[in-house]
């Protein structure tokens, strides 16, 4: 179709001015060409690839900076982030503690934990005192209360009753505010995930806790605005052991150490069957929305183990 002289007549003069270049003369523009379209497309694949590569080399070489491929830049950034994260996760323990665990009365082994006394001194001190019994109370005969896909959680000590009474007699008081300050400092100093696999952390806050309820109260003949707390804050004694990297725990947990030995025992705990969640039920969601205490009690039972998982003995090494 294009070579038919009825449609395209040959031109007497070239349309394009030849480009002077040190490269081979790959475009031949002559007056005897049959068509301007053929003049522009007279280029083999090999010549085109050589021309393109040479142009890119000239473009890169003309500048003073070296261009780095995007995937190499991303890999380098990930490497830097991993190095920063590893410096926080793989710290040198200053003290070691042990937990002997039994499931339904059957001993399953010992967990040895290394505590980071240099970076989180107050958190490591609180945990070691609760393990050794120096605080007047200890984790002995206390249960693991929640088993999640990424971690197992110990119930800690009660903030009322016998545990609280013994703590008052010995003059020991868990300062949750100090734990929160250390948690904030840890988030500032360490980038990436803090609660990695094998890490041990103390729960210092509850991110799912709703804000206080605002209500009007009559006092001395005047209406005043009062705030009513919904739920309870952690008392600084609950701890958990991560079985997998758990970035969602960074918003609530202060990492105080890591498991040195006994992850097989932690795995045995994580395999215990638990109560299934029912948060998708519309009845539960409505009860939770209006602040029904029965929903709060039911929520505490979610993911609770059917068998009794207890620390039979604990202490410092």
């Amino acid at each position: 179709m294009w070579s038919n002289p009825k449609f395209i007549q040959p031109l007497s003069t070239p349309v394009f001015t030849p480009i002077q270049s040190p490269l081979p003369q790959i475009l031949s523009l002559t007056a005897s060409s049959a068509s301007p379209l053929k003049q522009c497309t007279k280029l083999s694949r090999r010549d085109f690839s050589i021309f393109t590569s040479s142009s890119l080399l000239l473009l890169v070489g003309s500048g003073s900076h070296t261009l780095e491929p995007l995937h190499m830049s991303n890999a380098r950034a990930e490497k830097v982030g991993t190095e920063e994260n590893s410096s926080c996760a793989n710290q040198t323990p200053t003290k070691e503690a042990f937990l002997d665990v039994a499931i339904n009365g059957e001993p399953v082994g010992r967990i040895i934990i290394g505590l980071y006394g240099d970076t989180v001194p107050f958190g490591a001190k609180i945990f070691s005192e609760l393990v050794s019994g120096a605080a007047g109370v200890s984790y002995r005969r206390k249960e693991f209360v929640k088993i999640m896909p990424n971690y197992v959680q110990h119930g800690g000590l009660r903030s009322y009753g016998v545990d609280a009474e013994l703590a008052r007699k010995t003059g020991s008081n868990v300062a949750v505010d100090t734990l929160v300050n250390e948690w904030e400092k840890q988030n500032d100093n360490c980038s990436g995930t803090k609660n990695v696999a094998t890490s041990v952390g103390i729960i210092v806050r509850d991110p799912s806790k709703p804000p206080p309820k605002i209500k009007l109260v009559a006092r001395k003949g005047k209406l005043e605005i009062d705030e009513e707390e919904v739920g309870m804050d952690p008392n600084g004694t609950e701890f958990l052991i991560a079985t997998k990297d758990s970035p969602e725990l960074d918003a609530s947990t202060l990492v105080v150490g890591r498991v040195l030995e006994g992850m097989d025992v932690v795995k045995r705990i994580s395999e215990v069957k638990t109560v299934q969640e029912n948060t998708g039920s519309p009845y539960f969601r409505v009860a939770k929305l209006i602040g029904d205490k029965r929903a709060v009690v039911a929520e505490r039972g979610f993911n609770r183990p059917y068998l009794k998982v207890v620390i039979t003995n604990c202490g410092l090494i």
Side-chain angles (χ1 to χ4, degrees), residues 118-182:
D118 290 336
T119 55
V120 282
F122 189 77
K125 175 178 176 291
I126 290 296
F127 190 87
S128 61
E129 287 182 352
L130 292 173
V131 166
S132 63
V137 288
S138 73
Y139 289 131
R140 186 178 301 174
R141 294 191 293 274
K142 303 298 188 296
E143 300 180 33
F144 284 87
V145 297
K146 184 180 290 188
I147 298 175
M148 300 294 287
N150 292 348
Y151 64 91
V152 295
Q153 178 180 334
H154 190 271
L157 310 177
R158 293 174 296 179
S159 56
Y160 59 91
V162 178
D163 292 339
E165 185 66 26
L166 288 173
R168 278 195 295 270
K169 286 181 179 179
T170 57
S172 175
N173 183 23
V174 177
V176 181
D177 292 339
T178 308
L179 292 174
V180 172
N181 292 335
E182 281 194 346

Side-chain angles (χ1 to χ4, degrees), residues 4-16:
N4 193 335
K6 293 182 179 180
F7 294 94
I8 299 178
Q9 297 296 331
L11 300 177
S12 57
T13 58
V15 178
F16 300 98

Side-chain angles (χ1 to χ4, degrees), residues 86-241:
S86 62
S87 64
C88 295
N90 299 323
Q91 303 177 49
T92 303
T94 59
K95 192 179 294 184
E96 293 184 5
F98 72 90
L99 306 172
D100 291 335
V101 182
I103 299 177
N104 225 22
E106 178 186 352
V108 293
R110 171 171 288 189
I111 303 171
I112 298 179
I113 300 170
L115 301 175
Y116 303 146
D118 290 336
T119 55
V120 282
F122 189 77
K125 175 178 176 291
I126 290 296
F127 190 87
S128 61
E129 287 182 352
L130 292 173
V131 166
S132 63
V137 288
S138 73
Y139 289 131
R140 186 178 301 174
R141 294 191 293 274
K142 303 298 188 296
E143 300 180 33
F144 284 87
V145 297
K146 184 180 290 188
I147 298 175
M148 300 294 287
N150 292 348
Y151 64 91
V152 295
Q153 178 180 334
H154 190 271
L157 310 177
R158 293 174 296 179
S159 56
Y160 59 91
V162 178
D163 292 339
E165 185 66 26
L166 288 173
R168 278 195 295 270
K169 286 181 179 179
T170 57
S172 175
N173 183 23
V174 177
V176 181
D177 292 339
T178 308
L179 292 174
V180 172
N181 292 335
E182 281 194 346
W183 166 76
E184 292 175 348
K185 187 183 298 183
Q186 187 178 76
N187 285 336
D188 293 337
N189 296 337
C190 299
S191 61
T193 303
K194 270 71 71 177
N195 288 269
V196 297
T198 74
S199 66
V200 179
I202 296 177
I203 301 174
V204 297
R205 61 187 296 270
D206 183 8
S208 63
K209 180 184 175 182
K213 286 185 177 180
I214 299 177
K215 59 182 181 179
L216 292 175
V217 180
R219 291 193 181 98
K220 298 179 181 180
K222 296 181 180 180
L223 290 176
E224 297 181 1
I225 298 176
D226 196 7
E227 293 185 351
E228 181 183 1
E229 293 289 335
V230 180
M232 295 178 61
D233 290 320
N235 61 4
T237 64
E238 298 174 82
F239 72 92
L240 51 84
I241 303 174

Side-chain angles (χ1 to χ4, degrees), residues 12-31:
S12 57
T13 58
V15 178
F16 300 98
T17 303
I19 301 174
Q20 298 298 329
S21 171
L23 299 174
Q25 202 72 6
I26 55 176
L27 294 176
S28 177
L29 301 175
T30 61

